[in-house]
Amino acid sequence: MTQPFRIRLTIAEGDHHDIVVKPFDQLTVAEHIRIYENDSKDEGYNALDTAKNRLVRITGAPDRFIRHMRSAEIDELVRVLDEQVTANNMVMGKLAKVRETLDAWEKEHNGQTWNLADARAVLEGHSLFTTTITVNGRTYTAPFVEEATFGQWIDLQSAMDVVGGEPESMSYVRALAVMMTGEDGPYPVQENEENDTDYRTRANAYTQQRRADFLAAPFVEVLGAAAFFFSNSERFAAICAHNMSSLRSLTRHGAEPVRRVIPIGGGLMPS
């Protein structure tokens, strides 16, 4: 599927709903969360009711339109959705291949352990590496992490401390909103004589606009940018690993990451 699949469901004249199923590489982060990261178990009273609930969630179509579909329409819709699911599984499979490559690194390289540059090269080889995202007419770039201010690291830590958990891709969005550079200027710094409340309001407006953009950006690009930061910075990985389980294989030697905070001295210590 290289073009969106479109079907108009009509119950009566003037009463219709248009379903659009995008190719996987065109899915936004918000759409990926709704389709693939939803906590719903698609439970129903029977198998057909369960299938109907799944189609409602994935397509966004009202229940009454899905119930009105003919068998041939359902079969065609399921076929297209299966193509999208296959593509999603391929991307997740690439992450698994990255993990396998890194796990076998020492054996394949005469006992030499891999470093961040090696991880980056493996990611690039699997097309899981992005440094630039253009969305809603704005371009964001992944900078060298060494350029990040202490305030950004503090706010990244706060962005990862979400009570109750959330879809993994939302953690990508929160992290990129803090770390990416863009045309909206550098990360906000409190101005002389600006009070704390006004500064937080301004900083929150800055990150909220960015979160909205990254939710509307292609999932594959946002995943790639998150992988860029994860593979470039052990500090980023230590802060974000528990929110980004799909990327934990990029942690050096495959060790289970320990959640860490940044003390005044600038190093990392267990929280």
Side-chain angles (χ1 to χ4, degrees), residues 136-150:
N136 294 334
R138 290 177 282 274
T139 298
Y140 298 94
T141 304
F144 292 112
V145 290
E146 293 80 6
E147 297 176 2
T149 65
F150 189 46

Side-chain angles (χ1 to χ4, degrees), residues 26-47:
Q26 295 180 20
L27 285 182
T28 68
V29 173
E31 290 165 338
H32 190 273
I33 288 173
R34 188 191 79 227
I35 296 171
Y36 294 102
E37 302 177 63
N38 194 295
D39 288 334
S40 170
K41 303 301 182 182
D42 298 316
E43 295 177 351
Y45 296 107
N46 54 55

Side-chain angles (χ1 to χ4, degrees), residues 5 10 50 107 112 148 158 169 188-189 236-237 244 259 261 268:
F5 170 82
T10 302
T50 298
K107 181 179 180 180
Q112 181 180 350
S158 296
S169 293
V189 175
F236 180 92
M244 301 180 183
R259 187 60 182 274
V261 297
L268 291 171

Side-chain angles (χ1 to χ4, degrees), residues 43-250:
E43 295 177 351
Y45 296 107
N46 54 55
L48 291 179
D49 201 24
T50 298
K52 182 265 298 177
N53 291 344
R54 176 174 176 267
L55 290 176
V56 168
R57 175 170 59 81
I58 291 176
T59 66
D63 183 287
R64 65 193 187 93
F65 283 100
I66 298 298
R67 291 177 62 89
H68 189 67
M69 293 179 73
R70 304 295 190 268
S71 295
E73 293 175 319
I74 290 289
D75 291 343
E76 180 66 4
L77 180 58
V78 169
R79 181 190 67 77
V80 173
L81 290 173
D82 283 346
E83 290 182 15
Q84 190 188 85
V85 170
T86 298
N88 178 72
N89 292 342
M90 286 178 62
V91 169
M92 296 302 109
K94 287 181 179 181
L95 283 174
K97 289 292 185 183
V98 169
R99 182 180 63 249
E100 290 174 10
T101 300
L102 296 179
D103 284 347
W105 192 269
E106 292 185 34
K107 181 179 180 180
E108 306 256 338
H109 294 81
N110 299 318
Q112 181 180 350
T113 59
W114 59 267
N115 57 36
L116 294 179
D118 297 325
R120 189 159 58 247
V122 175
L123 283 167
E124 288 176 327
H126 288 281
S127 301
L128 290 173
F129 196 79
T130 303
T131 57
T132 301
I133 297 174
T134 299
V135 57
N136 294 334
R138 290 177 282 274
T139 298
Y140 298 94
T141 304
F144 292 112
V145 290
E146 293 80 6
E147 297 176 2
T149 65
F150 189 46
Q152 282 177 274
W153 290 112
I154 292 170
D155 290 348
L156 176 65
Q157 179 83 60
S158 296
M160 294 300 100
D161 291 336
V162 180
V163 178
E166 63 184 2
E168 180 169 338
S169 293
M170 194 63 213
S171 292
Y172 303 158
V173 166
R174 289 177 177 273
L176 298 189
V178 173
M179 301 301 288
M180 298 284 272
T181 61
E183 300 159 10
D184 50 355
Y187 198 77
V189 175
Q190 191 167 5
E191 297 175 354
N192 188 30
E193 299 183 357
E194 182 179 26
N195 65 50
D196 292 346
T197 299
D198 288 347
Y199 167 67
R200 289 317 313 169
T201 298
R202 183 164 61 88
N204 286 337
Y206 177 93
T207 53
Q208 288 299 325
Q209 173 62 67
R210 287 160 157 254
R211 289 180 186 178
D213 280 347
F214 292 130
L215 277 169
F219 166 76
V220 290
E221 294 183 10
V222 170
L223 172 65
F228 167 86
F229 283 109
F230 212 103
S231 64
N232 267 276
S233 171
E234 292 181 348
R235 174 173 288 174
F236 180 92
I239 292 173
C240 298
H242 288 276
N243 302 72
M244 301 180 183
S245 59
S246 296
L247 301 181
R248 285 185 195 174
S249 59
L250 302 179

